Amino acid sequence: MRIDVVTIFPAFFDVLEVSLLGRARGAGLLDIRVHDLREHATDRHRTVDDTPYGGGAGMVMKPEPWALALDEIAAAGHDAEDAASGPLFLFPSPAGERFTQSLAREWSHEPHIVFGCGRYEGIDERVFSYAATIGRVRLVSLGDYVLNGGEVAAMAMIEAVGRLVPGVVGNPESLVEESHEDGLLEYPSYTKPASWRGYEVPDVLLSGHHGRVAQWRRDQQVERTRTRRPDLLPE
Ligand code: 6GU
């Protein structure tokens, strides 16, 4: 999978060199390229923002540097006449649709995703219309709170999507019993020692009885989901 990121803070993405995703990049499973939006500014001060039409607080990202950046990224290897076959443009935004595990799964099959990271009060709305002539466009939010820009959100989505790309996580079985994969939170886990500082591992896990273990884990999933995330359960 190819992933491009457009940002005014490329350094945010330095951490993609460590851990699982770093290894996946080294192995050629993920081709992640980070681009500095300011490289596409059109004045010598490398300006990428301006005041909002209609007034109001804060600054808005200018459209032209975005168009130049997206054009350059999409030009490599896409049919310019067919937006449906173009890259998937994801713009992190608290005003977007909610990002979920099911979207992460869906997007793990994409050949090419481009993250556009906005700062300030946002990106000139026409950029989304323009991007829709080159590829498919989605505005996506991590949840109902506000970050200073799209970078941290893009990082989270890159990790959530990237780890589902075949080969990135060594043992694919570890992906199926996770929280949210079956609509429930995951069951609690324990390791040795069985007795630790006065806390015990539940007996059923030491019983060696696979059926009872599976039933207990399922019950725990449902109980946890009921108390912590009742919104995930059917009415
Ligand atoms: Cl995707 N962007 C920003 N700026 N804030 C957020 C978010 C995204 N998701 C939650 N808060």
Side-chain angles (χ1 to χ4, degrees):
M1 170 184 288
R2 177 170 161 188
I3 298 176
D4 288 273
V5 181
V6 181
T7 171
I8 58 169
F9 293 119
F12 263 98
F13 297 88
D14 287 353
V15 293
L16 287 172
E17 279 162 33
V18 302
S19 191
L20 212 76
L21 292 196
R23 199 182 52 85
R25 286 175 89 179
L29 295 167
L30 298 175
D31 174 8
I32 306 180
R33 308 178 198 187
V34 181
H35 311 266
D36 186 349
L37 180 69
R38 287 193 199 279
E39 301 284 311
H40 298 281
T42 54
D43 67 325
R44 67 185 184 86
H45 296 111
R46 309 219 299 166
T47 309
V48 293
D49 63 328
D50 207 336
T51 54
Y53 276 119
M59 300 290 271
V60 176
M61 295 188 107
K62 293 159 61 65
E64 186 61 13
W66 277 106
L68 294 171
L70 301 187
D71 279 345
E72 183 178 282
I73 289 165
H78 290 286
D79 176 358
E81 295 309 303
D82 187 7
S85 72
L88 177 62
F89 290 107
L90 299 180
F91 291 95
S93 164
E97 65 184 299
R98 179 73 153 269
F99 181 62
T100 59
Q101 186 67 15
S102 108
L103 285 178
R105 273 241 168 255
E106 190 181 316
W107 294 341
S108 69
H109 304 289
E110 289 283 337
H112 188 189
I113 298 179
V114 181
F115 285 93
C117 301
R119 282 266 146 180
Y120 313 113
E121 297 309 306
I123 303 173
D124 186 307
E125 193 72 18
R126 294 168 294 180
V127 169
F128 309 124
S129 308
Y130 181 74
T133 67
I134 325 174
R136 292 153 295 141
V137 174
R138 309 273 285 261
L139 272 69
V140 211
S141 169
L142 291 190
D144 298 337
Y145 46 84
V146 178
L147 305 170
N148 281 331
E151 283 78 9
V152 167
M155 283 292 305
M157 291 188 249
I158 290 169
E159 184 157 318
V161 172
R163 64 194 292 283
L164 297 176
V165 170
V168 172
V169 168
N171 177 7
E173 279 197 23
S174 65
L175 296 176
V176 301
E177 293 196 345
E178 294 174 321
S179 291
H180 304 296
E181 277 297 341
D182 57 4
L184 295 172
L185 303 185
E186 71 187 346
Y187 54 75
S189 300
Y190 300 86
T191 186
K192 290 173 276 299
S195 181
W196 171 76
R197 297 195 178 203
Y199 300 93
E200 308 300 325
V201 170
D203 281 337
V204 59
L205 298 180
L206 308 174
S207 70
H209 196 298
H210 296 300
R212 284 213 294 266
V213 169
Q215 186 58 52
W216 180 84
R217 285 178 167 167
R218 192 73 191 173
D219 292 346
Q220 289 288 312
Q221 286 193 277
V222 172
E223 181 53 22
R224 281 186 151 189
T225 307
R226 202 176 59 74
T227 56
R228 298 177 186 174
R229 292 294 306 279
D231 56 298
L232 296 177
L233 293 173
E235 293 297 303

